[in-house]
Amino acid sequence: MKKYITILLFPMFLLISGCSEQKKHCDIFNADTSHMSEIYKHYLLKKQKIEPLYELRVIEIDEKGLFLERYKFNELKKYIKQKTQIKDTLIYIKINGWQHDTSIDELSLNNFKKQLNNISNYVSKNKRDVIGIYVKLREEKTSMFRYLTFFNKKKSIHQVSNGNIIEIWDFLKKIKDNSVSDTKIVTVGHSFGADIIFNLMNIDNRAESNENHKYKKNLSGIGNLILLINPTFDALKYVEFRKSNNNKEPSSKNNPIISIFTSESDWITKYVLPAERIISNLFKQHNYMEATIGENKVLINKKIAQITSIGHFKPFITHRLEMTNKSISSTQYNKLIKNLKSDLVNGINPLNFDKTILVRNPIIKANTPYLVVQVDKTLIPDHSNIFGKEIETFFHDFLLLSINE
């Protein structure tokens, strides 16, 4: 009998042992809690009289763009409406690409939880709550070859972008525009997830162009910051997006709004995407189009732009992110974000982060709302390995800098 009691109590001991400080988020995810729902995990925290600093909801969408469990989205809407009516809130939404390796998928979700925990500990000083939304793309495994192919995943992006995910996008935009509290929204996409976000932004542009607006729109996408990591869309799509936003003003003149980060050693966006684009555009005629680089109007070769991913199209690279040996002490770190804000407003180049520097191309004006950043391979070694300590610290600080927190 004692043996069975021990077995039953051991998981609870693991949960309680990690919750010695009530001000910190209880890291119950270190225990084997994969079978638990996020709602039940938070119930355990509250039962121990520990108020979690963030709320995490996972929304799953299949390759056809449909919710796997619509009730979860309905519950999420209700929760966000209630929360944003009574308290300042940061909504942090992440859309990942399809992961062929379940261990990478789990690593990505656990990494997102750590990000939420770190951000929550920082913004809670300003009495702001954090809501995390992890959009997980589920794929059908009917065929091994279909499951592994890059090209079929690219085709699915269109279906997902025009599916139920639009409801999430529209809901968050309405929350941002109509919230009585100070609601901030950060949207992050990796790989195909970044492409889906970019497609949603283009859908917005088309919808706005069909309406008769009597006022000038702000350039904001959704919320305060859109962060795209190793996206696979080509540079021509980016040129067209920039042209469609020429008549829009930035919602903030000092902060980045749309920031693209691509590893210089990402072979998928560097080699696989061009191969796919060359085949699909083999017999098409190409010409030149006008684009803006810095303060100058230039002609872009449409053929080259269409076979090159945005992160490797040199004319549009605005910044480079590099590793440095310069580390910031704990006392200095408390002033880091404040100093970065001042440097950003004053156009200081480069911006000095902890162990990293963000170097701006001299021909690019300071305070540009669009960033296309080439990332040193020591920070992001390849397409999927984006979980290093230094790059995660940078993204954390860059996020806080961008939302004026």
Side-chain angles (χ1 to χ4, degrees), residues 190-201:
H190 170 240
S191 185
F192 294 133
D195 291 33
I196 290 167
I197 293 171
F198 192 71
N199 284 353
L200 289 167
M201 294 164 65

Side-chain angles (χ1 to χ4, degrees), residues 19-194:
C19 304
S20 57
E21 295 184 51
Q22 290 195 8
K23 290 184 179 180
K24 293 185 179 180
H25 176 75
C26 173
D27 190 11
I28 63 177
F29 308 110
N30 287 336
D32 182 14
T33 57
S34 57
H35 61 289
M36 297 183 188
S37 70
E38 292 298 330
I39 295 174
Y40 183 60
K41 291 173 187 175
H42 281 74
Y43 164 75
L44 290 176
L45 289 176
K46 291 177 180 179
K47 191 173 181 180
Q48 297 164 45
K49 298 183 179 179
I50 298 173
E51 189 68 25
L53 293 181
Y54 69 81
E55 182 80 14
L56 171 63
R57 302 297 176 97
V58 179
I59 305 294
E60 291 183 294
I61 294 178
D62 66 18
E63 285 179 313
K64 296 176 182 177
L66 303 176
F67 289 128
L68 289 180
E69 297 170 304
R70 174 172 279 278
Y71 76 90
K72 289 185 177 181
F73 177 55
N74 294 334
E75 289 177 350
L76 174 65
K77 288 195 296 182
K78 184 178 179 181
Y79 178 79
I80 290 177
K81 285 179 181 178
Q82 291 174 344
K83 178 65 69 174
T84 54
Q85 288 293 319
I86 59 175
K87 199 164 186 182
D88 293 344
T89 308
L90 170 62
I91 300 173
Y92 184 13
I93 176 170
K94 183 175 183 181
I95 305 177
N96 236 33
W98 287 274
Q99 300 292 349
H100 306 316
D101 188 332
T102 54
S103 64
I104 294 177
D105 191 47
E106 189 64 25
L107 177 63
S108 177
L109 181 55
N110 285 332
N111 177 261
F112 185 57
K113 294 170 185 174
K114 290 178 181 177
Q115 291 174 341
L116 290 170
N117 189 54
N118 292 336
I119 293 167
S120 298
N121 277 297
Y122 189 94
V123 303
S124 63
K125 300 171 188 176
N126 298 335
K127 301 189 182 301
R128 184 184 299 279
D129 278 3
V130 175
I131 301 174
I133 306 171
Y134 188 86
V135 179
K136 184 176 181 180
L137 304 181
R138 287 279 296 270
E139 54 192 341
E140 299 174 2
K141 301 180 182 180
T142 54
S143 165
M144 179 180 293
F145 294 104
R146 184 171 184 274
Y147 174 55
L148 295 175
T149 176
F150 170 88
F151 308 112
N152 277 314
K153 291 292 163 287
K154 285 287 288 181
K155 292 177 182 177
S156 296
I157 289 173
H158 178 74
Q159 279 186 300
V160 175
S161 303
N162 287 277
N164 289 148
I165 201 166
I166 293 177
E167 295 182 46
I168 302 177
W169 189 264
D170 288 343
F171 170 72
L172 291 178
K173 283 199 303 179
K174 289 177 181 176
I175 287 291
K176 173 65 178 172
D177 294 339
N178 302 317
S179 177
V180 295
S181 62
D182 180 19
T183 300
K184 296 187 177 182
I185 300 178
V186 174
T187 311
V188 177
H190 170 240
S191 185
F192 294 133

Side-chain angles (χ1 to χ4, degrees), residues 42 57 149 170 205 242 260 288 393:
H42 281 74
R57 302 297 176 97
T149 176
D170 288 343
N205 279 337
R242 288 290 304 271
I260 300 170
Y288 291 82
T393 299

